[in-house]
Amino acid sequence: MFPPPLIFGVVGEEAMRYFAVARDTGVVWLRQPLDRETKSEMQVEFSVSDSQGVVKDTVNIQIGDVNDNSPTFHGQLYTVHIAENTPVGTSVYQVNATDPDQGTGGSVLFSFQPPSPFFSIDGARGTVTVTRALDYETTSAYQLTVNDMDPIFTNLPYSTNIEEDAPLGYEVRKIKAIDQDLGRPRGIGYTIISGNTNSIFALDYISGSLTVNGQLDRENPLYSPGFTFTVKGTELNDDRTPSDASVMTTFTILLIDKNDNAPKFNSSEYRVHITELAQVGFALPLFIQAEDKDEGVNSMFQVFLTGNNSDHFTISPTAVQGRADIRMRVAVPLDYENIRAYSFSLFANESMSDHVGFARIYIDLINENDNRPIFSKPLYNISLPENTPRGTSLLRIQVRLSLQHAITHCNTHTACHWITL
């Protein structure tokens, strides 16, 4: 019989608001978006239970930053008084703004929307500079709109689960970023910067559609931990060339297991020699390992022996989940004189009829000198007169030897006389 199934869960009211766990597989997914700017770290307690009890453990989850916040200007209206004869190149003001995001996502790029022929603004520092001679009689005041040039991703977070048998061309999700500039926003070009192992996914540069581009396999060690991409969104100029304004975020993908692997043994056949005197319970010196590379209930299978005299041996365990070392032991007293060699089959069967592992077992017994000579009768009785002459033949005693015992006897003595009785 199979061992009792494992049941997975998440503990605590706060944790349950944000995380859910598949009871059978233990796959964790988000119930609602996280916000690093509100809480950057969480302690989440998970549980696993069977019929014997419950085990709990705490996982420390660090929430990574994505560029999901717009900058905040310090002061919404800036009023500056300058003389009309201010020389060209003079810095007249510095705009300040902050972005709660981290790294490049927290940087702020400034621009005037629409651009001014008389003033410029340093994109990184926010310094406003006179670029053309001013004339109070022509224009006594200027109203300029400062805008952050930083594009921003929408519909965050980017995290999803897909089945490992997803076909080529399957759309995982669309990535979307927008240009925050006023007026006519520019288009965005999307690229994967890192994390796309073997180019297994493709990201459309214009539409942001992320699709499957190769054969997925959760059992592949490169893919089993899942994928974490770094995705870059770059504002495009009118001629579709990339500008200097860009933003980056991460995209996490986990593969959901499918029951696509049959259990296998670490060899197709096993051979061993053991003495016929091996006691019941003796463990045969065989390294037998059975494994199903799927996970959870998909990796459960049964192991059993079948064939002539296979009941002379036992195996354990007979129910396996994932992988196990199989131990074979002697179940009954062995006798070389009755059976000199064994040959039978070892099977690993899963619930699916075509998921079967197979191996052949060969066991040769080593003969031991464990049979004594046997007299033809347990008791010999004779009667003879008291005047029987010396040298008279009185009785013929017969002794039976097994053929193998006779061979052994001859091989261990310098001379051997064969007598047929």
Side-chain angles (χ1 to χ4, degrees), residues 215-233:
Q215 184 63 51
L216 296 172
D217 183 7
R218 192 201 63 84
E219 289 70 46
N220 186 328
L222 294 175
Y223 305 154
S224 57
F227 302 85
T228 300
F229 308 129
T230 299
V231 179
K232 182 179 181 180

Side-chain angles (χ1 to χ4, degrees), residues 153 175 191-193 203 229-233 247-251:
F153 281 103
I175 296 173
T191 52
I192 297 176
I193 302 302
L203 180 60
F229 308 129
T230 299
V231 179
K232 182 179 181 180
V247 63
M248 289 190 289
T249 189
T250 57
F251 196 142

Side-chain angles (χ1 to χ4, degrees), residues 189-226:
Y190 304 94
T191 52
I192 297 176
I193 302 302
S194 64
N196 191 13
T197 306
N198 292 336
S199 300
I200 201 72
F201 294 93
L203 180 60
D204 189 273
Y205 184 70
I206 299 300
S207 70
S209 175
L210 184 71
T211 57
V212 176
N213 189 50
Q215 184 63 51
L216 296 172
D217 183 7
R218 192 201 63 84
E219 289 70 46
N220 186 328
L222 294 175
Y223 305 154
S224 57

